[in-house]
Amino acid sequence: MKNKLKVYRAMFDFTQEDLAKKIGVSRQTINYIEKGKYAPSVLLALKLAYVFNCKVEDLFILENEDLKQEDSLIFQGGE
Amino acid sequence: MKNKLKVYRAMFDFTQEDLAKKIGVSRQTINYIEKGKYAPSVLLALKLAYVFNCKVEDLFILENEDLKQEDSLIFQGGE
DNA sequence: ACATTTTGTCAAGTATTTTTGACATGAATC
DNA sequence: GATTCATGTCAAAAATACTTGACAAAATGT
């Protein structure tokens, strides 16, 4: 899963700390999410999308890898 | 945060177990999310939206409460 | 009424996210 | 070259998500 947090943050000219305060988390959390160290909760994701006035899908992008792995029979679609 | 998982599941005529298998989690996880016992990761949310061919925002709905609480100065908007 | 499937729930354990506090780096300013 | 600000990172703890296995309640089908 990729994310465009850094880009959106730049568009709005927010520092990581600005953003952290806006959505009520620590600066490190923003940093870690931005660097892809972990995937936030959907609650956080929705708040981020709210702040940036965009969709969750604009910020967080599923990759094929995310769909393959699983036990899932449905996924591991095409190349 | 509300969610419309049950509704979408009904629309697609999936059981909790069907859905669980599709996205590669346990049935209980689906059940707990559906009952609002906890908020999934954005990764799970994206997969759910993918399966239902909809937006994360269609499945998970922020409520005013979610925005108030915070230390955030930006939120606690209107009534 | 009985069997089956689906859902709700519990408990205990593992994994992941989030927090706090701290420190190092690079860029910009003075 | 010292100061400040934004970012990257580490480590340890707290909180939350997720797993497995199991069982009861509710709904569905015969």
Side-chain angles (χ1 to χ4, degrees), chain B residues 3-59:
Chain B
N3 78 79
K4 294 245 182 300
L5 256 179
K6 194 167 188 171
V7 173
Y8 274 80
R9 210 162 47 70
M11 294 197 308
F12 283 71
D13 197 26
F14 290 159
T15 70
Q16 293 181 346
E17 192 157 25
D18 289 339
L19 186 52
K21 277 195 184 134
K22 278 181 207 302
I23 66 176
V25 297
S26 70
R27 181 181 67 81
Q28 287 82 341
T29 295
I30 299 297
N31 186 251
Y32 278 37
I33 293 169
E34 199 162 303
K35 301 291 285 182
K37 293 229 175 191
Y38 48 62
S41 71
V42 71
L43 191 56
L44 247 173
L46 285 169
K47 288 180 186 176
L48 288 168
Y50 177 86
V51 166
F52 290 133
N53 196 37
C54 67
K55 295 288 185 184
V56 170
E57 279 86 352
D58 297 327
L59 290 174

Side-chain angles (χ1 to χ4, degrees), chain A residues 5-24:
Chain A
L5 255 179
K6 195 168 187 169
V7 174
Y8 274 81
R9 209 161 48 69
M11 295 196 307
F12 282 72
D13 199 25
F14 290 159
T15 70
Q16 292 181 347
E17 191 158 25
D18 289 339
L19 186 52
K21 277 196 183 131
K22 279 183 207 302
I23 67 175

Side-chain angles (χ1 to χ4, degrees), chain A residues 10-53:
Chain A
M11 295 196 307
F12 282 72
D13 199 25
F14 290 159
T15 70
Q16 292 181 347
E17 191 158 25
D18 289 339
L19 186 52
K21 277 196 183 131
K22 279 183 207 302
I23 67 175
V25 296
S26 70
R27 181 182 68 80
Q28 287 83 340
T29 295
I30 298 297
N31 187 253
Y32 278 36
I33 292 169
E34 198 162 304
K35 302 291 283 182
K37 293 228 175 190
Y38 47 62
S41 70
V42 71
L43 191 55
L44 247 173
L46 285 169
K47 287 180 186 177
L48 289 167
Y50 176 86
V51 165
F52 290 133
N53 196 37

